[in-house]
Amino acid sequence: MSAKAIESGGGDATDPFRPASPSDEEDEPSESSDQASDGSPGKPPQGPPQGPHGSGSEPRDPPKDGGSNFSHKAAKAAAAVVGGALAVGAVPTVLGAMGFTGAGIAASSLAAKMMSAAAIANGGGVAAGGLVATFQSVGSAGLSLSSRVLLGSAGFALVSLVVGL
């Protein structure tokens, strides 16, 4: 502690282990501004502006670092997984609605019209491995495991792009 601080009564001379504070040893006033960051006179700025709860921002504000919030990313990933599952589940339903059923192609359906057009285009028969034959196979037997994986991955990727994962 400086002798000047002891003489002015600004310190405790009996505590030799107490370090002297910088304000005790200043001989002249600081050159910093006496205005706060909000423009009110009296106190110097004390860091970033505080929100109404004193934390600097609202607790419900999105993270400022681009979305590293775990629950936000988990929700996006869950949406992508649901998109993949819906893609796998929707295919047999949609094909059944088109007329590709387990009992064969339904009469007067979109599937019957597709089969007629394919038969005319191929000279009277439906080509094996063509679109109509593949849809009929999926409509009657369902999707194979590899088709489910491929379709689920495509649905996951599409929803991931939409939600920005």
Side-chain angles (χ1 to χ4, degrees):
M1 180 172 298
S2 70
K4 182 177 180 182
I6 295 173
E7 290 174 348
S8 66
D12 186 13
T14 61
D15 188 4
F17 298 107
R18 181 177 167 256
S21 67
S23 62
D24 289 343
E25 298 186 12
E26 287 184 0
D27 289 338
E28 51 192 60
S30 155
E31 295 182 21
S32 65
S33 170
D34 286 339
Q35 285 192 343
S37 61
D38 61 356
S40 61
K43 57 182 183 177
Q46 297 290 325
Q50 299 292 312
H53 300 292
S55 64
S57 67
E58 285 291 323
R60 287 174 262 128
D61 286 347
K64 294 179 180 155
D65 61 352
S68 68
N69 187 351
F70 176 76
S71 63
H72 189 67
K73 287 198 181 252
K76 287 183 176 183
V81 168
V82 168
L86 283 175
V88 171
V91 167
T93 305
V94 170
L95 288 177
M98 289 174 62
F100 295 102
T101 66
I105 293 181
S108 301
S109 65
L110 179 61
K113 290 181 177 59
M114 289 177 65
M115 184 177 178
S116 174
I120 292 170
N122 288 322
V126 176
L131 186 64
V132 174
T134 303
F135 282 176
Q136 180 55 41
S137 173
V138 172
S140 63
L143 291 169
S144 66
L145 179 61
S146 59
S147 296
R148 289 180 189 182
V149 169
L150 183 64
L151 195 57
S153 299
F156 180 89
L158 181 65
V159 174
S160 295
L161 288 174
V162 170
V163 298
L165 185 61

